[in-house]
Amino acid sequence: MASIFQGVGRTATSSFDTKKFHLSSRRPISERKVSFVVVRSDAAKVNPGLSKIGGRADQLVTNAVATKPDTSAASTASKSGFLGILVFERDILLLVLGILETYLKVMDLKNRVTRHELLLFEALREGLEEEMERDSSVCIMGEDVGHYGGSYKVSKGLAPKYGDLRVLDTPIAENAFTGMGIGAAMMGLRPIIEGMNMGFLLLAFNQISNNCGMLHYTSGGQFKIPVVIRGPGGVGRQLGAEHSQRLESYFQSIPGIQMVACSTPYNAKGLMKAAIRSDNPVILFEHVLLYNLKETIPDEEYVLNLEEAEMVRPGEHVTILTYSRMRYHVMQAAKTLVNKGYDPEVIDIRSLKPFDLHTIGNSVKKTHRVLIVEECMRTGGIGASLTAAINENFQDFLDAPIVCLSSQDVPTPYAGTLEEWTVVQPPQIVAAVEQLCR
């Protein structure tokens, strides 16, 4: 096999007759600077010791020039060498063109997936506006949702655009406008009912329970109830016991209702759009402390699955299940745990009813340990239901009992220090994981 030598040439001073060997589209070899490969076919033995970088002799020749040997065999070798140059240059050109083409395709694709940055409450508004633009049966009703734009400005700017009939300000009567929204859904509209605070929706519990969740069944399937009930909730910043309600545990026992909780601008918009398009009644829980959370989301339309959990952080040692605001307490604790040598897997369950047991089960089968972190009350909360579901379906895969960290069963205090004391904090999560993984 021919040996290959590489040289870096300056102006070639070859005595080879270049007039006999050139391409019409190229300058003569002797008039241009080239980097070329010389192929030698004289079967000379190669000294292995010269193959290393820095080797000397004629294995690596700097400023190499092609010369015309006296023998015919050498002449043949020189011609083969120049043929090798042409093949080498052609291959390099094709490689460069291929790389350039790939780069342009990637840049074009990157430019197509444009994104924009917005806050969580703005993402909810964007989802509302897109669905109102898409479907004229979508309407909003609630206290101050119209010209004031909602208590947290989720519906700001929609009343001037779509009119007072589609963005309807209501009296302070949750039972009345919730019942009205359910009736509108029965007649083919898709209402979004906003509670100024989720705690106020307790005044409409009869309508939500006896009408919203059951009418599809009690009517023998004659009526669909495509209604979305949404609003701010959770423990805020010294809002007092009445305005710090976590109603997930209240509504989870109502048959026929789906429940989801958003935690980022991306999933807030995607879940809002999915809830509006669903033919089932959906309660969307929004945390009051997450409205100003900022994130970059895609410009193009997307809709999320109402029954799908989100894998926030893959891991191997323990599965941490959480949702809403506690997602950020968990991720804060995860940084500490990683520094201590633990590898937690974090899942935002998002769907509070029904649970995504497929995603949860796959994680349990991998880690064999489960920690649930919630802001809901411990007694009868989401964590209690989730613990029961995991024990019923995946008990054989558990190497330790499930641990659930929940808020204390007390009214939320107004004093800031006491308020924090009632809610799960990152150090508690770290300690629980260390205990689980012993």
Side-chain angles (χ1 to χ4, degrees):
M1 177 180 289
S3 304
I4 299 177
F5 299 85
Q6 182 175 352
V8 180
R10 292 196 291 266
T11 303
T13 57
S14 172
S15 61
F16 178 74
D17 189 358
T18 57
K19 294 181 180 180
K20 294 182 180 181
F21 187 80
H22 70 275
L23 295 177
S24 58
S25 62
R26 295 174 175 266
R27 292 159 52 194
I29 296 295
S30 61
E31 296 178 12
R32 61 190 178 93
K33 299 180 180 180
V34 296
S35 297
F36 56 88
V37 175
V38 179
V39 181
R40 193 176 71 189
S41 58
D42 55 3
K45 293 183 179 180
V46 178
N47 187 347
L50 298 177
S51 63
K52 296 183 290 186
I53 296 176
R56 304 183 62 180
D58 63 349
Q59 290 293 109
L60 181 64
V61 184
T62 305
N63 302 328
V65 294
T67 58
K68 182 178 180 182
D70 295 331
T71 64
S72 59
S75 177
T76 303
S78 297
K79 292 179 180 179
S80 300
F82 282 105
L83 289 175
I85 294 171
L86 297 178
V87 172
F88 178 80
E89 290 183 343
R90 182 201 63 184
D91 292 342
I92 290 295
L93 179 61
L94 292 175
L95 177 62
V96 171
L97 289 176
I99 294 173
L100 180 61
E101 183 181 12
T102 302
Y103 173 78
L104 292 175
K105 286 181 179 179
V106 170
M107 292 303 297
D108 183 58
L109 183 62
K110 193 173 183 180
N111 291 333
R112 289 180 190 175
V113 185
T114 54
R115 305 174 74 86
H116 61 287
E117 189 176 60
L118 74 180
L119 303 175
L120 190 144
F121 79 90
E122 294 172 330
L124 290 167
R125 182 200 305 152
E126 193 168 270
L128 280 172
E129 188 169 7
E130 288 180 8
E131 292 305 302
M132 294 184 75
E133 185 72 28
R134 170 183 169 272
D135 187 349
S136 60
S137 67
V138 177
C139 56
I140 306 171
M141 57 186 67
E143 298 156 355
D144 287 334
V145 298
H147 295 281
Y148 184 71
S151 57
Y152 288 90
K153 304 304 178 184
V154 172
S155 55
K156 182 180 179 181
L158 298 183
K161 183 175 182 180
Y162 295 104
D164 292 341
L165 290 179
R166 293 188 67 189
V167 186
L168 180 63
D169 278 323
T170 66
I172 303 175
E174 282 75 13
N175 56 348
F177 67 74
T178 301
M180 180 175 66
I182 294 169
M186 293 172 65
M187 300 307 296
L189 296 182
R190 292 184 175 272
I192 297 102
I193 302 169
E194 176 182 310
M196 185 176 284
N197 183 278
M198 291 300 276
F200 301 159
L201 289 177
L202 291 175
L203 297 169
F205 196 85
N206 176 60
Q207 284 75 14
I208 295 171
S209 176
N210 286 326
N211 301 142
C212 188
M214 297 185 185
L215 269 172
H216 180 68
Y217 172 76
T218 57
S219 68
Q222 295 181 69
F223 294 111
K224 294 180 180 178
I225 316 295
V227 64
V228 178
I229 300 173
R230 53 155 297 270
V235 178
R237 290 283 187 267
Q238 296 181 267
L239 297 179
E242 297 89 346
H243 290 183
S244 300
Q245 297 275 28
R246 287 83 83 194
L247 299 187
E248 304 96 293
S249 59
Y250 288 68
F251 294 125
Q252 67 171 330
S253 61
I254 301 175
I257 286 182
Q258 288 185 268
M259 301 195 311
V260 291
C262 60
S263 55
T264 68
Y266 177 82
N267 65 39
K269 179 182 177 180
L271 291 173
M272 172 67 84
K273 292 171 70 69
I276 294 172
R277 297 186 188 188
S278 174
D279 286 335
N280 298 314
V282 179
I283 301 179
L284 174 60
F285 292 92
E286 305 157 13
H287 201 286
V288 66
L289 293 183
L290 298 183
Y291 277 130
N292 289 323
L293 189 70
K294 186 179 291 187
E295 186 183 22
T296 301
I297 68 173
D299 287 344
E300 66 269 14
E301 184 183 55
Y302 65 92
V303 180
L304 297 182
N305 190 332
L306 287 175
E307 301 178 10
E308 188 174 79
E310 177 188 353
M311 178 66 69
V312 181
R313 183 191 187 279
E316 298 289 339
H317 294 161
V318 60
T319 298
I320 305 180
L321 304 174
T322 188
Y323 65 93
S324 191
R325 176 197 176 195
M326 286 296 107
R327 167 176 175 157
Y328 298 95
H329 283 210
V330 168
M331 291 308 295
Q332 185 178 340
K335 295 179 181 179
T336 303
L337 289 168
V338 169
N339 292 334
K340 292 188 173 187
Y342 297 98
D343 186 18
E345 180 155 289
V346 180
I347 296 176
D348 185 343
I349 61 174
R350 289 198 311 207
S351 177
L352 309 185
K353 182 184 178 183
F355 297 127
D356 179 6
L357 292 180
H358 175 73
T359 301
I360 294 170
N362 287 338
S363 180
V364 172
K365 292 173 184 178
K366 178 173 63 173
T367 66
H368 309 292
R369 292 173 176 82
V370 177
L371 171 64
I372 300 171
V373 182
E374 63 174 346
E375 194 179 80
C376 198
M377 299 297 185
R378 181 171 185 81
T379 302
I382 296 298
S385 299
L386 191 53
T387 299
I390 295 172
N391 277 325
E392 288 174 2
N393 293 277
F394 309 108
Q395 187 176 30
D396 291 344
F397 299 95
L398 294 172
D399 290 344
I402 298 172
V403 176
C404 182
L405 299 179
S406 311
S407 293
Q408 297 183 37
D409 289 334
V410 297
T412 304
Y414 176 77
T417 52
L418 294 177
E419 181 184 66
E420 285 189 5
W421 195 258
T422 66
V423 179
V424 180
Q425 300 298 326
Q428 295 172 262
I429 301 171
V430 173
V433 170
E434 289 177 331
Q435 182 69 29
L436 261 176
C437 293
R438 283 181 181 173

